[in-house]
Amino acid sequence: MGEKSVKERIILGPECVEEGVTWLIDADPRFAAFLKNTGPLPLRLKPDGFAAVLNAIIGQQISVASANATWARIVDAGFDQPANLNAATDDELRAVGFSRPKVRYAKALAEADVDFAALRELPTDQVIQRLIALPGIGLWTAEIYAKFSLGRADVLAAGDLAIQEAAKLLFELDTRPTEKELRAMALAWSPWRSVAARALWEYYRQSKQREGIA
């Protein structure tokens, strides 16, 4: 499995996810019962850079379907490019689906001129700190970027409500764990917390299908 100068595990392809699955099966029987009976977990890697962070901002606090529809309009308008976004008026951005706060966040991101290539070489905690210093980018957004655009193998995104709900269901908890509680639980899944997140998302997806929710 490949490693970079940051000396952290990097998910490069399906074989890396499978390595993490094997580790989780051995480490936690609760994961084993589920993972032994499901297919390969989604890789979910995507290119890094400005568009990836903007996409994560768009996905904040809305459904996946709404986020995907909005993103398609943004790409069609060319606003996934920082120069085009900077040149657009607020009304033009609102017309393709940006909320008023997200107009502000998107423009701040475009104006920040982040060195995304340099982020590839930084430890995950430094990547997250640099991103959350920007307006509108919280811990969830930064962790999603580190997990899927930089391939970091040990990032959970414990603030994700679907992951929290999946943990409640899979581990038969009385209540949905808080972000703090889930972070504490997830220490046992290091160095493969990104694969644990994929497993929990898949468990959530399957549980909703069983309930008849699309």
Side-chain angles (χ1 to χ4, degrees):
M1 175 170 181
E3 291 187 353
K4 295 184 179 180
S5 60
V6 292
K7 305 301 182 185
E8 296 180 16
R9 290 180 178 270
I10 305 296
I11 292 177
L12 300 172
E15 69 282 355
C16 301
V17 176
E18 284 305 307
E19 183 181 347
V21 166
T22 299
W23 188 93
L24 286 171
I25 287 172
D26 290 341
D28 193 324
R30 299 171 300 178
F31 273 118
F34 167 61
L35 290 172
K36 285 181 178 179
N37 295 298
T38 192
L41 296 177
L43 182 59
R44 300 181 70 150
L45 293 182
K46 60 180 66 176
D48 65 341
F50 172 83
V53 178
L54 181 62
N55 181 268
I57 290 173
I58 295 303
Q60 293 171 356
Q61 299 180 326
I62 61 175
S63 70
V64 172
S66 294
N68 288 342
T70 300
W71 184 247
R73 293 194 297 271
I74 289 169
V75 172
D76 286 345
F79 296 150
D80 58 330
Q81 303 299 317
N84 295 341
L85 193 147
N86 260 335
T89 67
D90 289 6
D91 286 343
E92 287 171 333
L93 295 176
R94 293 288 303 280
V96 297
F98 283 88
S99 66
R100 196 176 302 278
K102 289 179 182 178
V103 168
R104 186 172 73 254
Y105 303 154
K107 289 206 165 185
L109 175 64
E111 292 166 1
D113 194 25
V114 176
D115 186 348
F116 288 103
L119 294 185
R120 300 169 192 163
E121 306 305 325
L122 293 179
T124 297
D125 60 345
Q126 291 184 31
V127 171
I128 290 170
Q129 288 305 311
R130 291 203 181 187
L131 290 176
I132 65 175
L134 299 171
I137 298 181
L139 188 55
W140 179 87
T141 303
E143 289 182 327
I144 291 295
Y145 182 82
K147 187 201 308 277
F148 294 130
S149 292
L150 298 181
R152 303 303 168 86
D154 200 26
V155 181
L156 186 71
D160 189 276
L161 294 181
I163 291 179
Q164 293 172 5
E165 182 65 17
K168 173 181 177 288
L169 297 172
L170 181 60
F171 305 140
E172 299 180 341
L173 305 176
D174 291 335
T175 59
R176 190 171 70 198
T178 65
E179 179 174 350
K180 182 178 180 180
E181 290 168 342
L182 188 53
R183 287 192 188 281
M185 290 171 58
L187 291 174
W189 309 331
S190 182
W192 290 107
R193 282 176 285 190
S194 290
V195 177
R198 287 168 168 83
L200 290 168
W201 271 318
E202 180 63 16
Y203 190 84
Y204 179 82
R205 186 188 69 81
Q206 292 188 18
S207 70
K208 292 306 169 186
Q209 284 186 338
R210 288 193 295 270
E211 293 173 12
I213 301 174

